[in-house]
Amino acid sequence: MKSIVDFTVKSNKELNSSTILLIVESKEELPRILPGQFVNVKIDNNSVLLRRPISIHDVDYKNRQISLYIKVLGKGTASLKELEVGDIVNILLPLGNSFDISLGKKPLLIGGGCGVAPLLYLAKVLFEDHNIKPTVLIGARSEEDILQVNEYKKYADLLISTEDGSLGEKGYPTNHTVWDNPEFDCIYCCGPEIMMKAIAVKSKEMNIPCEVSLENTMACGIGACLCCVQDTDKGHQCVCTDGPVFNINVLKW
Amino acid sequence: MVNTIVDLNGLKLKNPILTASGTFGYGTEYSDFVDLEKLGGFIVKGTTINHKEGNPYPRMAETASGMLNAVGLQNKGVNYFKSKIYPEIENLDTNIIVNVSGSSIEDYIACSEIVNDLSHIPAIELNISCPNVKEGGMAFGTSAKAAFDVVSQVRKAYGKHLMVKLSPNVTDITEIAKAAEDAGADSVSLVNTFMGMAIDINTQKPLLSTVTGGLSGPCIKPIALRMVWQVAKAVNIPVVGLGGIMNAADAIEFMLAGASAIQVGTANFIDPDITIKILDGIHEYMKEHNIDDINDIVGII
C-alpha cells in the first residue's frame, strides 16, 4: 500500500558540491520497502509544481528513517538542498517495482554517477537478508564524485572506475577489468542511459541476466498520468509502476 | 445539514467534485489515497474504440506553474475497458464517467455504443478537444459545425448523459458550447488543455517528442475561469469547470463563475488525496459563509 507521509529532516549533508545525502524520519513505522523502489518528494517551493522522484538509497526500519542520495540539478533538487534539520518533507512511498533478487547468486551491481543511489540498499538487502556479498562497481568522472565508499564496503566488495583515473581504474565501468574474467552471474545497473545501454550489450553478449533501473521524467509516480513510458515488448509501460527496474530483454534498446 | 448534491441535467452527483480524464487513471490508481465513493464521480482516462499506444517518450515537461503533456490518448481500447476494468469498479457507489475519444465520427459512435451498454456508467464525456492526437480529437472541437456534427451523431447512439468536453484553443468557446447544446449535449465541461510547447536551449530541441502538447496546471486557471464564466452565460445546460484547480478556493471560484460541478486534474499528480481535501474545504467554506446549499453559489457572478 502506498501512502503520503510527512517526514522530518534528520540530517542533510553535502557529500560534494552537487550531491546531498538527505535523511528523513517518519513518526510512524515505515512500510516495507523493496530495493529499487523510489519515493516522490513534494517540493516546498512555489516555482516547482510537480513532485520529484528520488531513489531510496538506504532504509533504517528501527529508526524509521530513509536516506535519499540526491544529485542537485534543477530547481526541485536545489530546494531539497536547502532543507534544514527539523523541516517537514511530504513524501509519497513506496513506489515502483524492485530488483529481482533471484536473478543470480553472484551479482555485480554497476552504478554510474548518481545512478549509484539505489544500489546501496540493494547491496544491503542482498547481504543481510540473502547472505550474498555482491560486487559493486561505481563509475564516476573523478575522485570527488566517488561517495559513500565506506557504506558500500559494509555489504559489498567495492570496485571503482573514474574517467580521469584519479581513483580506481581509469575509464568507464564498461571497460573495467571486472569484465575480463567475469565471476558474476547477474547484473543490476543504474546510471546514465548511454552507460546502461552499453552494459546491456555486454551482458547480452556474455549471456548474463541484467536488470536496469530507469529514470524517465514522470508526473504522478503512481501510474495515472502515463508520462514516463518506456518502449518494451509489451508496448509502452510506465516506469513508475511497471518499473523503474526492467530486465533488458523486455526493453527495445 | 448542508446540501452538496448537484444535479447536472438529471445526472446526480453527491457533491460537485469530479476528476479530470487522464489524471485519475481508472480510479483504482488512487484507492490507496482516496475513498472513491466520497467523490461526486470520476472520469476515466480517454477511451477509444481501438487500442492506442500514444505518443513516443518524452511526453511531459514541467513549465512555470504548469505542465505540458503529449500522452496522445494511450489506452487499451473500449473492449478492454469493458472486460477488464469495468468489472473492478462497477459496484462503486459513485458516478463513473467514461471519456470517449476518437479520430472519426464512426469511432466516436462505436465507442459510445459500447459504453451505453454498461449499466453502471451513467454518462460519457465526449472528448472533442484532445490536442495530442494527429487525427480528429481537437479538430472536432475547434469549429462549431464539426462539433455539432459529432455531438449530434453521438447523441443518436448514446441514450444517457452526454457531457461534451470543450477545447480552449478557439477564438470563441461560446460558439462551440452552443453548437454542442444545439446538438443535444446534456452538459459541457471545459477546459481541456491549452496547446503549448517548451524547448531545451542546450540541446536546441523541443522537450516533447511531438513538439507541442497540452498545458495544464495552475497557470491556466484564470483563462479557464474566464471561459467557464462566458460559457455559463451563453448556454442553458450545466457547465462543468476545470483548468488548474489546486484547492477548494479554486473550485469555489469556478462555481461562482457558473460551474455546477468541477473537475480536479493536474493537482491529483501532486497530492493524490487532493480531491478529498477540496471536498473538506468546500464544506468549511459553506459553514463559514452560512451556505446551506452549494447550488446557491453557482453562477452568482
Side-chain angles (χ1 to χ4, degrees):
Chain A
M1 174 141 173
K2 298 182 273 283
S3 51
I4 310 167
V5 180
D6 275 336
F7 281 81
T8 306
V9 174
K10 292 309 282 182
S11 80
N12 193 5
K13 200 162 62 180
E14 235 178 284
L15 296 177
N16 69 16
S17 59
S18 63
T19 312
I20 57 168
L21 183 70
L22 179 64
I23 300 177
V24 295
E25 186 177 292
S26 167
K27 283 195 190 74
E28 282 145 47
E29 294 246 322
L30 292 177
R32 181 164 146 76
I33 294 169
L34 303 170
Q37 288 189 305
F38 67 101
V39 297
N40 217 1
V41 183
K42 196 168 174 181
I43 307 294
D44 191 13
N45 175 341
N46 283 338
S47 66
V48 177
L49 180 70
L50 300 170
R51 287 174 183 262
R52 293 295 184 263
I54 312 270
S55 297
I56 296 170
H57 184 53
D58 199 3
V59 181
D60 177 349
Y61 287 105
K62 190 164 146 273
N63 294 306
R64 306 177 310 280
Q65 292 178 351
I66 57 171
S67 304
L68 306 174
Y69 175 101
I70 302 164
K71 181 95 177 161
V72 179
L73 279 172
K75 278 186 290 189
T77 46
S79 292
L80 295 176
K81 189 180 173 181
E82 298 306 312
L83 287 170
E84 292 177 5
V85 173
D87 285 349
I88 301 296
V89 197
N90 185 267
I91 292 177
L92 187 55
L93 85 165
L95 305 178
N97 66 355
S98 63
F99 291 106
D100 177 6
I101 302 292
S102 65
L103 212 55
K105 295 266 180 269
K106 288 182 281 179
L108 173 65
L109 282 52
I110 306 174
C114 193
V116 298
L119 301 185
L120 179 66
Y121 185 52
L122 173 60
K124 185 182 188 174
V125 168
L126 286 167
F127 186 77
E128 291 186 345
D129 300 347
H130 298 273
N131 209 18
I132 292 172
K133 190 175 191 187
T135 302
V136 173
L137 169 58
I138 300 179
R141 263 192 213 126
S142 182
E143 184 179 7
E144 62 262 23
D145 304 313
I146 302 289
L147 304 163
Q148 296 285 85
V149 164
N150 291 330
E151 292 300 309
Y152 287 101
K153 281 184 177 168
K154 285 184 194 168
Y155 318 114
D157 294 319
L158 185 65
L159 304 171
I160 290 167
S161 70
T162 53
E163 288 168 37
D164 63 3
S166 53
L167 194 67
E169 291 185 21
K170 185 174 162 79
Y172 297 103
T174 38
N175 45 37
H176 191 277
T177 50
V178 72
W179 298 97
D180 297 346
N181 292 299
E183 288 180 18
F184 46 89
D185 61 5
C186 67
I187 298 169
Y188 304 101
C189 180
C190 184
E193 189 175 278
I194 188 165
M195 182 195 94
M196 292 194 287
K197 281 183 173 169
I199 302 282
V201 169
K202 280 182 99 81
S203 72
K204 272 185 188 165
E205 280 168 9
M206 297 165 76
N207 206 18
I208 292 176
C210 176
E211 287 187 338
V212 293
S213 177
L214 307 182
E215 54 165 13
N216 295 8
T217 43
M218 57 183 69
C220 69
I222 56 173
C225 70
L226 307 187
C227 290
C228 63
V229 291
Q230 181 70 27
D231 225 356
T232 72
D233 60 1
K234 289 184 195 143
H236 279 142
Q237 289 201 298
C238 282
V239 166
C240 68
T241 47
D242 298 308
V245 180
F246 290 90
N247 192 296
I248 55 163
N249 293 330
V250 308
L251 296 177
K252 295 209 169 160
W253 273 3
Chain B
M1 192 63 190
V2 296
N3 177 53
T4 58
I5 297 171
V6 298
D7 184 339
L8 299 180
N9 224 346
L11 177 68
K12 279 207 173 64
L13 314 179
K14 60 182 85 167
N15 61 61
I17 299 177
L18 299 166
T19 60
S21 173
T23 68
F24 209 67
Y26 294 109
T28 51
E29 289 85 345
Y30 285 83
S31 54
D32 282 353
F33 314 104
V34 174
D35 177 353
L36 299 169
E37 297 190 339
K38 283 194 172 168
L39 302 176
F42 60 88
I43 303 180
V44 305
K45 67 178 66 163
T47 301
T48 49
I49 185 72
N50 297 314
H51 168 103
K52 272 181 87 76
E53 270 301 302
N55 291 320
Y57 179 86
R59 294 174 167 185
M60 193 279 286
E62 187 173 333
T63 57
S65 295
M67 62 176 276
L68 289 161
N69 90 79
V71 171
L73 296 176
Q74 179 179 328
N75 79 101
K76 291 190 169 150
V78 68
N79 286 314
Y80 181 89
F81 173 79
K82 182 181 171 180
S83 62
K84 295 283 195 288
I85 312 282
Y86 177 68
E88 302 281 313
I89 56 179
E90 63 174 325
N91 291 323
L92 286 168
D93 176 23
T94 188
N95 290 288
I96 303 167
I97 300 172
V98 175
N99 179 284
V100 170
S101 301
S103 48
S104 68
I105 290 183
E106 292 70 32
D107 287 356
Y108 279 109
I109 292 171
C111 191
S112 303
E113 279 174 341
I114 291 169
V115 180
N116 198 42
D117 292 339
L118 305 176
S119 56
H120 293 266
I121 306 286
I124 60 171
E125 180 183 56
L126 196 69
N127 183 358
I128 58 168
S129 44
C130 178
N132 292 324
V133 286
K134 280 200 187 97
E135 292 163 345
M138 197 170 80
F140 289 103
T142 50
S143 98
K145 188 188 174 300
F148 181 87
D149 286 348
V150 67
V151 175
S152 53
Q153 293 290 322
V154 171
R155 179 71 288 173
K156 287 181 205 152
Y158 186 75
K160 292 184 265 184
H161 187 99
L162 174 57
M163 184 185 293
V164 177
K165 188 169 187 177
L166 304 180
S167 171
N169 301 300
V170 294
T171 45
D172 183 357
I173 196 167
T174 63
E175 279 184 20
I176 317 289
K178 282 189 272 190
E181 181 180 30
D182 291 345
D186 295 305
S187 64
V188 284
S189 57
L190 60 139
V191 293
N192 205 322
T193 54
F194 287 78
M195 209 165 156
M197 65 187 278
I199 299 168
D200 180 333
I201 61 163
N202 293 314
T203 60
Q204 303 187 340
K205 287 185 175 147
L207 284 169
L208 300 175
S209 67
T210 46
V211 185
T212 62
L215 182 65
S216 65
C219 60
I220 70 166
K221 198 199 84 182
I223 320 177
L225 188 65
R226 179 266 294 176
M227 289 181 161
V228 164
W229 178 72
Q230 289 177 316
V231 168
K233 296 270 184 243
V235 298
N236 294 309
I237 50 176
V239 173
V240 176
L242 71 152
I245 294 176
M246 304 302 284
N247 50 47
D250 292 341
I252 291 159
E253 275 192 75
F254 273 86
M255 297 191 77
L256 291 167
S260 300
I262 58 97
Q263 296 178 15
V264 181
T266 301
N268 291 305
F269 299 152
I270 299 142
D271 288 311
D273 58 351
I274 192 67
T275 43
I276 298 301
K277 289 181 182 156
I278 291 175
L279 177 60
D280 292 345
I282 287 175
H283 277 284
E284 277 168 37
Y285 176 83
M286 291 175 74
K287 202 172 155 193
E288 265 173 43
H289 294 263
N290 292 317
I291 297 158
D292 296 327
D293 184 346
I294 192 67
N295 294 286
D296 291 347
I297 72 164
V298 173
I300 65 177
I301 303 290

